Amino acid sequence: TNFRLYFRVCAMSAHSVASNGNFSHHLAASASPSFARRIRALWHFNYQILFGPLSVRSWAQSSAFCDRLILRHFEEQRHYHTLVHIYEVIKCLGLEEEGTKSYCAPEVDTAVLFFAAIFHDAIYNPKSSTNEADSAVLFEELCSLCPDPDAARTEHRRRVITVILATAKHKYDGEDAAVKDFLDADIAVLAKDREAYSLYAACIRLEYGHVPRNTYLTERVKVLRNFLKRERLYFKDDGREERARDNLTWEIGVLEGGRIPGEEVGLNNQRAFALFALTAVAVTLVIAAARRKK
């Protein structure tokens, strides 16, 4: 079973690793064979904050759940919403190392943000309108492994669900700074450089490949115009707002001209390197699974 899974992961669309742009340190970091191990280490560190100390049994259950979640992000329908996107969100929030405090708050918020990051796209079907709700249910499944938390931990688990559900429409009227910071990180790609944004737009089109081209051109413009109608795209005023609006306006112009951003660029130059990245992550997971069985 592990080897069938390994070959399925390796066969996934290779350019997905490049989908979150910039193509220097971001891509190199995601290609590291230690990437999956870092995710797992962050998982165990934050798990104990949100769920309490790990026993031998709960460690095994937790590890298996983590690996299952990581592998979900290699599903064939994903081109932008991959493990690289999770890495980008984690990086943007400053959660890359165990014990690192996010810029927004205390240690417990790092756990809330981490689990929101790794679960918010856990269920992803471009044909579905319930991805966020389904992802929240999956997080509740993890919570059921530790059914008797104290009141504080129960509240922080609810906060994770609040973050996940808020990504459905990317709107939030509450006061929780962690939710606002997460929503900003989740759409950080909108303010990237034009090359990165163009590839992001191309990958979104690939995820909606089932939609007829002319329909996609029309509906995508509607989505982008709705974003532009918002008073603000980001909660924090850190210079991204103008860049993001410029990118959205640029994409609308391209789409209204009958083209889709990224098509003329092509993704072939990223395929070999991205395939290496996917293979490295897959091998790491397979080896870890084999060791646990021993």
Side-chain angles (χ1 to χ4, degrees):
T1 301
N2 285 334
F3 281 105
R4 285 200 301 272
L5 185 59
Y6 165 74
F7 285 117
R8 178 170 64 79
V9 169
C10 289
M12 173 189 169
S13 298
H15 59 262
S16 62
V17 173
S19 64
N20 285 259
N22 299 327
F23 310 120
S24 54
H25 63 282
H26 291 112
L27 186 55
S30 68
S32 168
S34 66
F35 182 48
R37 290 197 298 273
R38 293 208 309 274
I39 289 288
R40 193 180 295 108
L42 286 168
W43 170 283
H44 288 310
F45 172 79
N46 289 289
Y47 185 98
Q48 293 179 82
I49 295 173
L50 212 59
F51 296 94
L54 285 164
S55 65
V56 173
R57 181 183 178 187
S58 61
W59 182 281
Q61 288 180 325
S62 172
S63 295
F65 207 109
C66 177
D67 287 350
R68 179 157 61 100
L69 204 58
I70 289 173
L71 288 171
R72 278 185 174 275
H73 290 84
F74 291 95
E75 294 166 339
E76 61 183 359
Q77 76 274 16
R78 297 174 185 261
H79 298 272
Y80 170 74
H81 293 90
T82 66
L83 199 61
V84 184
H85 173 55
I86 304 305
Y87 170 76
E88 288 277 315
V89 171
I90 288 172
K91 182 178 178 65
C92 190
L93 291 168
L95 308 175
E96 292 177 277
E97 301 295 338
E98 305 98 297
T100 299
K101 294 183 184 298
S102 70
Y103 61 80
C104 73
E107 185 178 69
V108 70
D109 278 8
T110 69
V112 170
L113 290 165
F114 173 80
F115 280 102
I118 200 166
F119 272 94
H120 80 287
D121 288 324
I123 305 294
Y124 184 72
N125 177 1
K127 298 179 181 180
S128 173
S129 62
T130 62
N131 288 319
E132 293 80 12
D134 294 340
S135 296
V137 169
L138 188 61
F139 176 70
E140 289 174 338
E141 181 183 328
L142 174 66
C143 293
S144 70
L145 297 177
C146 298
D148 298 312
D150 58 38
R153 287 197 174 110
T154 298
E155 175 57 28
H156 293 312
R157 293 183 190 186
R158 289 198 191 105
R159 291 174 66 205
V160 174
I161 293 173
T162 297
V163 176
I164 295 170
L165 295 178
T167 63
K169 295 185 177 180
H170 262 270
K171 291 182 179 180
Y172 178 68
D173 298 323
E175 299 300 322
D176 192 336
V179 181
K180 297 177 181 179
D181 290 337
F182 187 91
L183 293 178
D184 280 0
D186 194 32
I187 60 170
V189 67
L190 300 184
K192 284 180 179 273
D193 63 66
R194 188 57 53 80
E195 181 187 8
Y197 182 86
S198 179
L199 276 173
Y200 150 75
C203 287
I204 294 297
R205 170 53 180 157
L206 289 173
E207 291 186 339
Y208 286 88
H210 59 282
V211 178
R213 180 184 175 81
N214 288 340
T215 302
Y216 180 84
L217 290 171
T218 302
E219 295 303 314
R220 177 70 174 167
V221 166
K222 289 180 182 178
V223 170
L224 299 179
R225 287 198 183 282
N226 283 335
F227 262 98
L228 286 176
K229 287 178 183 177
R230 298 186 180 191
E231 184 178 348
R232 293 199 60 81
L233 298 174
Y234 297 100
F235 290 96
K236 273 193 184 340
D237 184 10
D238 57 4
R240 289 181 293 185
E241 187 79 18
E242 184 177 355
R243 294 197 305 273
R245 289 184 179 275
D246 284 347
N247 279 331
L248 294 175
T249 302
W250 170 80
E251 185 182 354
I252 288 172
V254 174
L255 293 168
E256 289 182 334
R259 295 180 296 115
I260 295 175
E263 283 184 326
E264 71 282 2
V265 175
L267 300 170
N268 290 331
N269 291 339
Q270 303 297 329
R271 288 182 183 272
F273 192 82
L275 183 58
F276 161 75
L278 292 173
T279 303
V281 173
V283 168
T284 301
L285 293 174
V286 170
I287 291 173
R291 285 177 177 169
R292 282 201 303 275
K293 284 188 175 180
K294 289 180 180 179

